[in-house]
């Protein structure tokens, strides 16, 4: 009896037309049966949000490729797993390849990471891939997604052959440095670093003289800080031309502070 091919659900937060989504499908198609469910429009920084105030519908673009009409990445995974895969769940959910970094506390904003969060909540292993950019992602025109495609293929092949390396409710967050594959020094297992956030809310005046605001993208700055295990942060790894792989858990309880808080109460 022939072995069943693995099944992978792919989604993203940049929309169904995003080059990174199609680069990911190209990288993983030789490894598994691919189904894509992606947002109709960009849903960057949507976080782990579900749409509860309006109906959603799948729009089939081609076989096993759907856009979810104005849905979030979390909607895409939730509905795909509970409807398209209701009787036959996929082996893996893969989110990306995001246009831009998802490192440090940006993981909490990220629709790319949120799709992986939803998958592991539903009991399906998941990986999120993001392509770090130097400045406004202009370097992607030159680099394409060569290193990201290569990394995705190798990592997902390893997972399919050797098993998912994390327990339940934990996912892998992968950030790719903006370099050619030959410049990459390898992979580093990292912790999430500490992001520096600035105020990049720009004010403008519309033709009627009313103010409006546009939230921009702050610089990718971070705080170096010591870590108990003396390991690298995701920012440090990418800076040194390594692919960063961070295990992320959904339990955000600060266990170190439980006793201190009991004493304070």
């Amino acid at each position: 009896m022939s072995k069943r091919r693995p099944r992978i659900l792919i989604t993203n937060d940049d929309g169904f037309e995003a080059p990174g989504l199609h680069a990911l499908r190209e990288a993983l198609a030789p490894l598994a049966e691919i189904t894509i469910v992606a947002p109709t429009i960009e849903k960057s920084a949507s976080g782990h949000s579900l749409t509860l105030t309006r109906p959603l519908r799948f729009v089939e673009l081609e076989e096993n490729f759907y856009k979810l009409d104005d849905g979030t990445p979390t909607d895409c995974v939730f509905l795909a797993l509970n409807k398209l895969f209701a009787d036959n769940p996929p082996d893996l959910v893969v989110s990306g390849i995001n246009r831009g970094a998802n490192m440090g506390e940006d993981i909490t904003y990220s629709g790319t990471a949120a799709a992986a969060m939803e998958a592991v909540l539903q009991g399906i292993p998941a990986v999120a891939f993001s392509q770090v950019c130097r400045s406004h992602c202009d370097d992607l025109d030159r680099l394409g997604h060569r290193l990201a495609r290569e990394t995705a293929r190798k990592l997902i092949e390893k997972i399919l052959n050797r098993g998912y390396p994390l327990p339940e409710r934990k996912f892998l967050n992968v950030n790719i440095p903006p370099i050619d594959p030959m410049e990459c020094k390898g992979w580093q297992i990292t912790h999430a670093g500490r992001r520096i956030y600035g105020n990049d809310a720009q004010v403008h005046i519309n033709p009627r003289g009313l103010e409006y605001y546009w939230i921009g993208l702050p610089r990718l700055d971070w705080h170096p800080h010591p870590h108990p295990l003396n390991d690298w942060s995701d920012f440090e790894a990418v800076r040194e031309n390594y692919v960063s792989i961070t295990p992320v858990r959904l339990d955000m309880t600060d266990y170190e502070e439980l006793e201190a808080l009991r004493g304070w109460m």
Side-chain angles (χ1 to χ4, degrees), residues 46-54 56 72-79 118 122:
S46 60
H48 194 196
S49 59
L50 278 172
T51 301
L52 303 177
T53 57
R54 62 182 181 276
L56 301 168
T72 68
T74 302
D75 293 327
C76 291
V77 173
F78 180 88
L79 289 175
E118 185 61 30
Q122 301 280 338

Side-chain angles (χ1 to χ4, degrees), residues 56-76:
L56 301 168
R57 67 188 185 99
F58 292 106
V59 179
E60 187 170 12
L61 303 171
E62 57 184 80
E63 185 178 6
N64 293 327
F65 189 171
Y66 304 84
K67 64 178 182 178
L68 192 63
D69 202 11
D70 203 28
T72 68
T74 302
D75 293 327
C76 291

